[in-house]
Each structure stands twice: as structure tokens, then as C-alpha cells.
Amino acid sequence: MAMEIAATASRGLLQSTTTSSTGSISGSSRVLARFSEEKRLIVDKLELGALRKRSLHLNLRRIAPAPRCRVATTEESVQVKDAPKKLDLRTDIRNLAIIAHVDHGKTTLVDGMLRQSKVFRDNQTVQERIMDSNDLERERGITILSKNTAITYKGTKINIIDTPGHSDFGGEVERVLNMVDGVLLLVDAVEGPMPQTRFVLKKALALGHRVIVVVNKVDRPAARPDYVINMTFELFLELEASDEQCDFQVIYASGLKGQAGLEPDALGNDLEPLFEAVLRCIPEPRVQIDAPLQMLVTNLDYDEHKGRIGIGRVNAGTLSKGEVKICKPDEADRVGKVSEIFVFENFAKVPAVKVVAGDICAFAGINDVMIGETVADKANGVPLPSIKVEEPTVKMSFSVNTSPFSGQEGKFVTSRNLRDRLYRELERNLAMKVEDGETAETFIVSGRGTLHITILIENMRREGYEFMVGPPRVIHKVLNGKKLEPYEDAIVEVPEQYVGAAVDLLGKRRGQMLDMQASELGNTILKYRLPTRGLLGIRNSLLSASRGTAILNTVFHGYEEFVGDISTREQGSLVAFETGQTTSYALCSCQERGQLFLGPGVEVYKGQIVGIHQRPGDLSINVCKKKAATNIRSNKEQTVVLDAPQDFSLDDCVEYIEEDELVEVTPVSVRMCKNPRMARRGGR
């Protein structure tokens, strides 16, 4: 229809120009003006038709049980020197990543796919969220590191990459998307698209990946699949997806029960509809098998016996054992030797002799290989473009522990130990940066958010490191003489009776309201844009203001002009007056000054933060005072009643401290204290 309208317009233009060739210049101008008006009307009709077509997308999808999926394009981003132009089709492989907002069920769905692919024995005991192999991931219930696995369905190998859902670990998602040809976008059937959904979908669409939308948790009582699909389709339009990408397949599923279907109220007994959609809609890899070897290292693993293991997708040629070239754009090449090759099969690495282009594999033998480097043919190989991720927005200072209790609980306490560990983190964490600080004992660590850096702190603590960290600070930029700072979009879901408190709190943090609407669940959804500085420490304040009912989600927006000072904490701290052991007698009188962090019988030192002052400004208190012993007998000892101390986690401590405060981190304890250097400066 669009072609017919365009042809009619062209014929009209030819007739108009022929008729006006013998006429005056003014006649030609009138014809051109009339044609411009007709062209504008035609364009408006085309746009209206496109919108109507897209609006019918959902209804048409529900009618057709197996929607038509676009055939894979014949272009592949492979840069090989003097390579043949012919692309080979690997019909026996599919490469896909599972992306979603945090807690939308990615890892649980992968568990169901593994079970139904007969990866485990029928009598084998399998724990939940088997892909979350890290202890910290299991404790927090989130995915931190991306992981590879593979299953076989109807003779086709499906490489699956489970990705993190939290915005602070977006760097993990950005780099693994280079290995796949399509993605499964999971959306919660109740919450719908969330901030991180927008971030990961934007990255996938920019790479031209095909998307299968999986509406997960449709078995929840408050599920609203039609609303979720409409919101997801609007998100595709906002991100300027192509017509082929907007024509996405929709699968309704319950990852926990291992069921999927083409209708929300007609789920099958297994995930077969999802597997069929993957084979039908995810494009087959189109690669150059006969070209020189090219493989971009996208992830790293470590084995005690094999050493460092590089993981990536073979973009061209064939990877086999022997000498290869390790190269990177604008850097010197070097030669390495691949000693072992593995492919992913049924939740395990299986040794292989060679791997042909299009497949995802791992190799050992090159102990200095880094993420972003290209493993290429020794003679004719050239590097692929390096992996680029977004810049960090928050930084924190790491320093040697200088408290009176230093060296008592940690194994690695020197600046050399701290430096080696921080720079070793850069080998696989591309979104993080480490710089030397003002002194030899201080290092500046930059990340995508406070959680990004806090996970590193927790891992180092469990490894036996002892150190101190400063408060999180945002990273500023200067552009055209203007100071810029990072901004984030925050979506707060809060009950109606606490909307006023939430709005007041966000307003004090220099937030600008973008939208406010009532959800179908009876809550109010607030959308704000505010500086990243305003979000530091806001989570606990928001929970306190809403009696623990508010839900906060954020995503990075960009850099905007600096807005001035922001007050993030109104109350001061209670600081220990002397070193010693806390007593019930002293705490009984101290608890009237504010909320305490500890109980009796705890060792403290002078300058340690022991509580929150109920008023602005810090207050020094004596929590070690003992009751004076006398020779006067009393008939009854005074009963001491103490309030329960407030238990602060590592994340809470990092959010709480201000510029003149530090967090002391050891394998056993997490303490807060005043920065002695700042105190000396103030004393002068």
C-alpha cells in the first residue's frame, strides 16, 4: 500500500512538471507547493497507517499461534582481512542471552530449561537457581556475574547466557550481548517493564538482535499480561526499534512451574512452546568458516589446575589447539598457545578438539589473556573491535586500615596486598576503574553504582582482606566550561497514604517529577529524575518514611548541569568517647541520645561511630562507663532495660557515612568511624 501511494505521488509530480514546463515560474512554484502539501499528507497517512499496524500487533499475535519471524539477515559484523564474502549458515546452533530487570525470573527460567532438557538425572537432587553458583549471589538472591550454559533441543544446540538484572551490573550485560544473535526479554506479568528492562533492551536493539518477549509469572494472582504486553510494545516504540524488531514473538510462561504457552490462560505442561520459539525466531549464526580465525574474549574464568580460561564466540574460522595471535586494536600483538578447548554442554565444559565459527567456547593455556582481546590466526588474523561499556558514575576511596584494631582480624592488611587485589579485579570487571590516590596507601575505585562497589568490598572481605573505605562520591564532568553530574531516573512504587512523604523526600534531593499515576494494584507510581548524589542513602530513608512498603528502582539517564549542594543526612552521629568495652550501665543513659548500633560487651575504640544522634551534629558519648562500686548495700539492684540495637549491614554503612567518616571492613566486623585526618584538619 505504501509503494502504491508513493508511485501515485511520483506520477503526479511528473504530470505537474510536464504541464508546467511551458508555463510561468509562478505556475511551477504553485505546482511544487501543491506537491509538497500532497507529499506531507501522504507521509501523515503512512505514519498513521504504521501506528495502526503496530497497534494491531498485539491482537494479531494472540490470533496466530505461530507468528511469522523474520529470517536472519545476511550481514555479520566480522572484520577479516582479505576474507571471502560468502557467509555460512550454522543451522545447528542458536546463541541467545536472557535479559530482564532484577527479580523477574531469569535464573529460575534457566533452571526449568535445564531440567526439561534432561541435563540432570531423574533422581538427581538439584538446588534452586543452579546458575547462581556464587555464595554472595545466593545470599542476596540476585545474579551478579553472567554465566554460560548450553542445552540440546531437537538436534540443535542452544547456547544460553544468564545475565544480571541489577542496573549496577549493566557492564556484564553489555559485553555478553556481543556473543549472541538474539535475546529472551523477560517481563514480570505484574510489574511490567522496569528501568533495567529499558536499559538492557536498548542495548540489544542497538546491536540489531531479535527479541522474544517472555511474560513470566503469569500464574501470580495479580497478573495482568495484556497490560504488560502493551507497555512492552510502547517501550519498543520509544527505543525506536525497527519494524522487524517490533514484530516480536510473545510467550507466556511460569518459570517456577516450568510451563509456557502462546496464551496466558492456556499454558502447556512444559516449556516446549518456548523452545520452538527459540528455533523459529532466533537467527542462525551466519559466519565465515573458511576465513582466518577470529574470536573475541568476552569473559574469563579460572581453574586451579588449568589456570585462566578465556570465554567467547568464534566469529570466523576454526579454533584449534596450537599457537595463535593475541591482538587488540592499536596495541602490539603477541603469540600464545591454546592448550585445551572446551564447549558448553548440559551445564558443563566438555573438552573439544576444535570449535567452528558460530559456537561459544572456552580455552585454556594463555594465562595473560584479557577481556576485549582477539584470539586470531597467527599468520593472517586481525583484531576485532574492543568491547566498550558505559563509564562509571560513582567512586570510593580504599585505604589501609589505620584504626586501633587494625591487623587483629584480617589476613591481607598491607597496601601492596590491597593494590594487587584491586588491579586484579579489572581483569574481568570492565565497568570498574582503579586509580592511585593521594597517598601510597589510598586507591580510588570507580563503578556503576554503590552496589557495584559494595559487592567488590564484600568479596574482598570474605577473602581475608582488611581495609577502610570512604563515602561514595559521584564523578563529575566539565563540558564547554559547565560542570556536569550524573542523573538517574527513579521509579518509586508506594501506597497512597505515603505518597506525600515520598514526594517530600525526593523533592529535598533535588528530584524533578516526570510522571505520577495510580497502578492497578492500589499503589501510586512516581517517576523522578534526580542527581545520583540525591540517591545516595535514600533507600533507607524512603523505607522509613513509607513504613517499609516503598519499592525503588533506578537506571542511569545521563549527565546534566550541576544543581548545587544536596543534604543527604539530617542527623549526626554518636561517637565513642574512649576505647574499651561497652557496658549496660553506660548504654542505658546513652540510648536516650539516639539509636545505638551495638549492645553491651562489645569492644570499641575512640572515634568509632556507635549510633545515630537524634539531632543534627555529632555527639561524643561514653559507652564504656562502669557503675561505681561502693560498700553501701542496697536491697535491690537497679534493673537496666536496653533497646534492641540497630543492625547495619555493609550496604547500610556505605550509604550512611558522610565526607568525614569511614567504614572499617574486616573478615569478622564492619565498623564505622570518624576520619582522623579530617578531624586534624578541623582542629587546625
Side-chain angles (χ1 to χ4, degrees):
M1 183 63 183
M3 295 298 294
E4 294 176 0
I5 296 175
T8 303
S10 299
R11 289 195 296 270
L13 174 61
L14 291 175
Q15 293 173 2
S16 300
T17 54
T18 303
T19 303
S20 61
S21 61
T22 58
S24 61
I25 297 178
S26 60
S28 300
S29 301
R30 287 194 299 271
V31 171
L32 291 175
R34 181 166 58 85
F35 172 74
S36 299
E37 181 65 17
E38 291 177 356
K39 181 181 178 181
R40 185 183 63 79
L41 294 175
I42 290 172
V43 172
D44 291 343
K45 289 180 180 179
L46 288 174
E47 293 178 350
L48 181 60
L51 290 175
R52 289 177 176 174
K53 177 183 176 181
R54 292 181 177 182
S55 64
L56 292 174
H57 170 82
L58 304 179
N59 294 330
L60 291 175
R61 184 172 304 284
R62 296 177 69 86
I63 295 173
R68 174 181 57 84
C69 294
R70 179 178 65 86
V71 181
T73 61
T74 57
E75 297 180 357
E76 184 76 9
S77 58
V78 179
Q79 301 180 3
V80 182
K81 188 177 182 181
D82 299 328
K85 295 182 179 180
K86 180 182 177 182
L87 296 178
D88 301 295
L89 184 66
R90 294 290 305 271
T91 58
D92 59 331
I93 292 179
R94 299 292 190 278
N95 299 317
L96 65 93
I98 301 182
I99 58 177
H101 187 77
V102 63
D103 200 30
H104 278 198
K106 298 181 300 299
T107 307
T108 304
L109 181 64
V110 174
D111 286 354
M113 298 175 72
L114 290 172
R115 288 190 178 94
Q116 296 188 20
S117 301
K118 303 300 181 182
V119 173
F120 311 110
R121 301 188 311 272
D122 294 336
N123 62 345
Q124 183 176 351
T125 302
V126 182
Q127 57 188 357
E128 292 184 357
R129 302 195 316 276
I130 189 172
M131 294 293 287
D132 287 344
S133 55
N134 191 310
D135 292 339
L136 202 54
E137 291 178 324
R138 293 192 168 278
E139 292 177 11
R140 293 175 177 257
I142 60 175
T143 301
I144 298 174
L145 302 174
S146 59
K147 303 173 189 66
N148 297 67
T149 188
I151 60 177
T152 302
Y153 178 75
K154 292 185 177 181
T156 301
K157 179 182 179 181
I158 303 177
N159 288 308
I160 303 174
I161 304 177
D162 184 23
T163 63
H166 201 283
S167 58
D168 284 20
F169 309 111
E172 290 279 324
V173 182
E174 290 180 78
R175 59 185 173 88
V176 301
L177 289 178
N178 294 283
M179 290 195 291
V180 300
D181 304 292
V183 297
L184 295 184
L185 177 67
L186 262 68
V187 186
D188 191 285
V190 177
E191 296 180 352
M194 300 298 285
Q196 183 65 4
T197 308
R198 183 186 187 93
F199 174 80
V200 296
L201 180 59
K202 179 181 179 181
K203 297 298 181 182
L205 295 177
L207 293 173
H209 290 330
R210 284 286 293 175
V211 182
I212 298 177
V213 177
V214 180
V215 182
N216 196 25
K217 304 182 183 181
V218 294
D219 54 337
R220 293 180 62 180
R224 41 181 183 172
D226 293 336
Y227 167 80
V228 170
I229 288 296
N230 285 326
M231 295 300 295
T232 304
F233 186 68
E234 290 182 7
L235 181 59
F236 272 74
L237 297 181
E238 291 178 10
L239 297 177
E240 299 180 353
S242 64
D243 290 340
E244 291 81 5
Q245 290 172 327
C246 286
D247 187 22
F248 53 80
Q249 168 75 70
V250 178
I251 297 294
Y252 302 92
S254 171
L256 188 61
K257 295 181 178 179
Q259 298 176 339
L262 297 173
E263 295 292 336
D265 52 355
L267 299 183
N269 297 324
D270 51 23
L271 295 174
E272 184 177 357
L274 178 60
F275 289 125
E276 292 292 339
V278 169
L279 297 184
R280 189 172 61 250
C281 299
I282 301 298
E284 303 93 340
R286 289 182 177 267
V287 293
Q288 298 174 354
I289 296 179
D290 298 330
L293 169 65
Q294 277 188 317
M295 173 183 174
L296 184 65
V297 179
T298 313
N299 204 350
L300 292 177
D301 200 356
Y302 183 81
D303 186 88
E304 293 182 356
H305 305 287
K306 301 178 178 63
R308 183 177 299 184
I309 297 177
I311 302 173
R313 168 178 168 171
V314 182
N315 294 61
T318 302
L319 177 66
S320 56
K321 298 180 182 178
E323 291 188 346
V324 294
K325 181 195 295 184
I326 310 299
C327 49
K328 198 173 183 179
D330 303 328
E331 292 188 10
D333 302 340
R334 65 183 190 277
V335 177
K337 186 176 181 180
V338 176
S339 59
E340 293 186 73
I341 302 176
F342 309 91
V343 293
F344 295 94
E345 183 178 328
N346 295 345
F347 200 65
K349 296 186 183 76
V350 180
V353 177
K354 63 179 182 179
V355 177
V356 182
D359 201 355
I360 297 175
C361 65
F363 64 89
I366 307 176
N367 291 326
D368 59 346
V369 68
M370 302 288 290
I371 293 177
E373 293 184 328
T374 301
V375 178
D377 183 74
K378 183 179 178 181
N380 303 317
V382 294
L384 290 165
S386 298
I387 301 174
K388 295 182 179 180
V389 298
E390 293 189 1
E391 295 293 322
T393 58
V394 176
K395 61 182 179 181
M396 295 176 62
S397 64
F398 284 54
S399 60
V400 175
N401 187 8
T402 56
S403 74
F405 294 166
S406 62
Q408 298 181 7
E409 301 172 349
K411 181 179 179 182
F412 306 104
V413 297
T414 65
S415 61
R416 181 177 57 84
N417 297 141
L418 186 60
R419 178 189 177 87
D420 293 344
R421 176 62 180 86
L422 291 177
Y423 279 95
R424 193 165 67 247
E425 181 69 18
L426 301 182
E427 295 178 0
R428 64 168 303 162
N429 202 334
L430 294 187
M432 187 169 286
K433 291 185 177 181
V434 178
E435 303 173 319
D436 293 337
E438 297 178 355
T439 65
E441 299 180 347
T442 305
F443 307 93
I444 305 300
V445 179
S446 305
R448 296 281 281 268
T450 54
L451 180 61
H452 189 197
I453 304 178
T454 302
I455 293 297
L456 170 63
I457 297 173
E458 183 65 35
N459 284 328
M460 293 176 61
R461 174 192 174 195
R462 299 187 180 200
E463 294 169 7
Y465 287 84
E466 181 178 310
F467 52 97
M468 305 184 85
V469 296
R473 292 172 291 176
V474 299
I475 300 175
H476 299 282
K477 290 183 178 181
V478 178
L479 183 63
N480 298 328
K482 294 183 178 180
K483 186 178 181 180
L484 306 179
E485 64 176 334
Y487 274 69
E488 298 190 31
D489 288 338
I491 295 181
V492 181
E493 185 174 353
V494 64
E496 185 178 356
Q497 59 267 34
Y498 302 119
V499 170
V503 170
D504 182 60
L505 180 61
L506 292 168
K508 292 180 179 178
R509 302 296 183 101
R510 298 295 184 98
Q512 299 178 356
M513 181 182 290
L514 303 179
D515 188 21
M516 181 174 68
Q517 57 183 357
S519 68
E520 298 180 2
L521 304 178
N523 295 334
T524 301
I525 299 177
L526 306 173
K527 184 175 182 180
Y528 271 79
R529 181 167 297 161
L530 69 166
T532 304
R533 289 184 298 133
L535 289 172
L536 300 178
I538 197 176
R539 194 175 300 273
N540 286 332
S541 301
L542 193 60
L543 290 174
S544 299
S546 62
R547 303 297 187 270
T549 57
I551 300 175
L552 173 65
N553 292 286
T554 61
V555 65
F556 177 69
H557 168 69
Y559 275 82
E560 294 185 5
E561 194 168 347
F562 184 76
V563 294
D565 295 335
I566 298 177
S567 176
T568 57
R569 200 178 79 187
E570 297 180 354
Q571 296 172 310
S573 300
L574 298 177
V575 184
F577 180 75
E578 62 179 359
T579 301
Q581 190 178 75
T582 59
T583 63
S584 300
Y585 177 76
L587 295 177
C588 181
S589 58
C590 291
Q591 67 184 5
E592 300 177 359
R593 304 290 186 175
Q595 178 67 49
L596 298 177
F597 293 150
L598 36 77
V602 179
E603 295 289 337
V604 298
Y605 56 84
K606 182 179 180 180
Q608 180 178 338
I609 298 175
V610 296
I612 304 175
H613 191 200
Q614 60 186 2
R615 297 178 181 178
D618 298 335
L619 178 65
S620 296
I621 58 175
N622 189 354
V623 293
C624 304
K625 184 172 63 173
K626 298 180 181 179
K627 184 178 181 181
T630 65
N631 57 357
I632 301 177
R633 236 181 234 185
S634 59
N635 295 330
K636 184 179 180 182
E637 290 290 337
Q638 183 180 1
T639 303
V640 177
V641 179
L642 298 177
D643 298 333
Q646 187 169 354
D647 187 17
F648 262 26
S649 64
L650 174 61
D651 303 73
D652 296 331
C653 292
V654 170
E655 287 190 354
Y656 175 81
I657 59 175
E658 289 190 333
E659 287 295 326
D660 61 338
E661 297 168 345
L662 297 171
V663 177
E664 179 189 357
V665 181
T666 72
V668 180
S669 308
V670 177
R671 310 181 186 94
M672 292 180 289
C673 65
K674 305 300 289 187
N675 190 340
R677 296 178 181 176
M678 301 285 286
R680 285 196 294 268
R681 292 176 187 174
R684 294 193 187 100

